[in-house]
Amino acid sequence: MIKAIDHIGIAVRDLDASMQLYSSIFGVTTFHREEVPEQGVAIASFELNGVRLELTAPLHEDTPIGKFLASRGEGIHHVAFRSDAIGADLERLHNEGMRLIHETPQRGAHDMQIAFLHPKSTGSVLMELCAPAADASHT
Ligand code: CO
């Protein structure tokens, strides 16, 4: 089942500039930084009362986030929802006729298993399901 908002993904061109901006707004002093080559991204994230904001920059232009920036520019990219059984949720959504970008969970940042739903099936909101990798093996 889908239980909570886990994080909000924000597409940015320049991670360092963006970290400065978010530091100014929120007074954040510590970011978690990570590169996820499988997703073609570098992220810097911080948490506000249990909801993570994930600043996401492309590792190179020919990546989904690079293409998003080229066509839409910087801004909100996706909303990620925490699932306690990501495999079962994907199967349920698939059976309901939803288009999925990932039919099976992929490795994401923060040692999470992630999968994106296709925005054509979600009213143009890019949605991600995620679950801690340790939990995903139970699904
Ligand atoms: Co995400």
Side-chain angles (χ1 to χ4, degrees), residues 7-9 52 54 56 78 80 114 116 128:
H7 64 272
I8 297 170
R52 219 162 56 236
E54 207 152 278
T56 308
H78 65 272
I114 65 162
F116 282 93
E128 174 191 322

Side-chain angles (χ1 to χ4, degrees), residues 4-8 46-54 79-80:
I5 291 182
D6 185 85
H7 64 272
I8 297 170
F46 65 97
E47 211 167 286
L48 274 180
N49 196 29
V51 176
R52 219 162 56 236
L53 268 80
E54 207 152 278
V79 182

